[in-house]
Amino acid sequence: MVPGKKPPQDASKKSTLKIAAAALAASSIENYDFFIYGTAAALVFPDLFFPGQSPLAGALLSFSTFAIGFIARPVGAVIFGHLGDVHGRKRSLVMVLLTMGLGTTLIGVLPTYDAIGPGAPLLLVLLRLVQGIALGGQTGGVILLAMESAPPRRRGFYSSFALAGGPAGILVGNFAFLIADGITDSDSFDAWGWRLPFLASVALLGLTIYIQLRIEETKAFKRLQRAAAAESGEEAGPFVKPKPEPVPEPVPVVVPEGRAARAARSPVLEALRRYPRRIVLIGGAYIGINVTYYLFMTFAVAYGTNDDILDMPKSRMLLGVLCGAAVQLVMLPVAGALSDRFGRRGMLTVGSALVGVWAFVFWPLLNTESPVVIVIAFVVGLGLLHTTMYAPQGAFFAETFPTETRYSAMSLSIQVASVVGGALAPLIATSLYAWTDSWLAIAAYMAGVCLITVVSVLLLPETYRIDVEETAAARPAEADEAGTVTSI
């Protein structure tokens, strides 16, 4: 070994860790931007943008704008999925970060209803749409950035860093609101304190520059580029070494169009044509994860602080969310590593079943209004049980699709599911409580979506032992939906 140089294995591990850290940072800030909207929707938006309503009516209107962000997410999945499958994961992620940073910062300077009247909620909806489009491309981008660069048997562990951005973003976002609430009185918080967490999202600019300049494209996408070059006989971007000039054939030869070339035309259409069953089942698997996550993270805050329900202090509920998110942040890499050893499907089904059962314990614990009991409710429900279903999803969903359409197919699956899942979850939960005046309907709703996840996962094949070294060109194109999982 040359003195002063690290062994190739150590250098590769360092590069993988750097990519995982970048995925964690990108996911954290993106989720921070998206979730602080949910916190603001629960705490201040009803009064600032929908004045003159009853507490429950204001909450319904505020959560309606929250849901609009989800409606835009499939649009982002198509736009950034195409960009990621055709031009690279890194380029797509950079564009995602810039879009989210712009939308969130502008919310921080948005005038309220008292200043400009009905124009205020309209502008709020527009910027929420921008956030939704960005997050629609973010999930696939950060997961693939980490997973496709990971060692063969560590994809669950490394992809969990991208997923850890969810609780990390919640943690930082709620801390930001706690600090803003702590340094202002009630009137100042409503006037300008709530804006500070949104304005802090300018940090995305620095991270975007770092990813653009210092992070390499994923190994899987490089292999896809080489496969495309082999099919076309031409150089495919900066990742492929130049080939010698081919000897001209005396007779023209028609070369069949390969998989990579077909997907490059429209990865979304190719995925829909070839993998409709997988897309539907991945969406079903995601619904339980997504709905329960937003009920823990967003609706529970409104449930605890709403004047018509428990009317507890904001800080008490935010503390519970913070503790649950902190435990989840620590446990995600552990659960991700366990999925590398024992498989993804078992963890997803067990975690989903346990969360469905815990739903009937969680809301009564909140009803005690005890700070300690509320923390326990979030730590067990969110930090431990939800993590069991949340951690394996990134690797499991990505491994279900082949490289050439992975970004588009995975993003489309989870973002369409998020429209009927997380988008409507706070709205449905609020309506169920208003209709029944009971937490039981909300618990039954959580158990129902968890059952959908269990059934969907059981109908999908296990994926954690797929040979990561196989290229997309190494296998013939499948008739597909026959249960065979393509290579990474």
Side-chain angles (χ1 to χ4, degrees), residues 167-185:
I170 289 290
L171 203 61
V172 177
N174 280 313
F175 263 124
F177 270 100
L178 283 174
I179 293 171
D181 188 43
I183 64 175
T184 60
D185 56 30

Side-chain angles (χ1 to χ4, degrees), residues 244-322:
E245 284 292 329
V247 178
E249 293 284 345
V251 179
V253 176
V254 178
V255 180
E257 189 177 36
R259 292 166 61 187
R262 290 197 307 270
R265 287 203 309 262
S266 178
V268 172
L269 295 179
E270 184 70 9
L272 288 171
R273 185 179 72 84
R274 299 181 65 81
Y275 314 111
R277 180 175 178 273
R278 294 186 200 178
I279 289 173
V280 170
L281 289 177
I282 290 296
Y286 186 67
I287 281 180
I289 301 171
N290 193 238
V291 167
T292 55
Y293 194 69
Y294 280 98
L295 292 182
F296 282 136
M297 290 293 199
T298 301
F299 174 75
V301 175
Y303 180 89
T305 60
N306 194 288
D307 295 345
D308 288 346
I309 307 178
L310 297 180
D311 195 23
M312 286 189 287
K314 293 190 289 286
S315 58
R316 188 177 305 177
M317 292 305 300
L318 291 178
L319 178 63
V321 173
L322 283 173

Side-chain angles (χ1 to χ4, degrees), residues 390-401:
Y390 184 51
Q393 66 155 336
F396 183 60
F397 293 174
E399 290 163 346
T400 300
F401 300 104

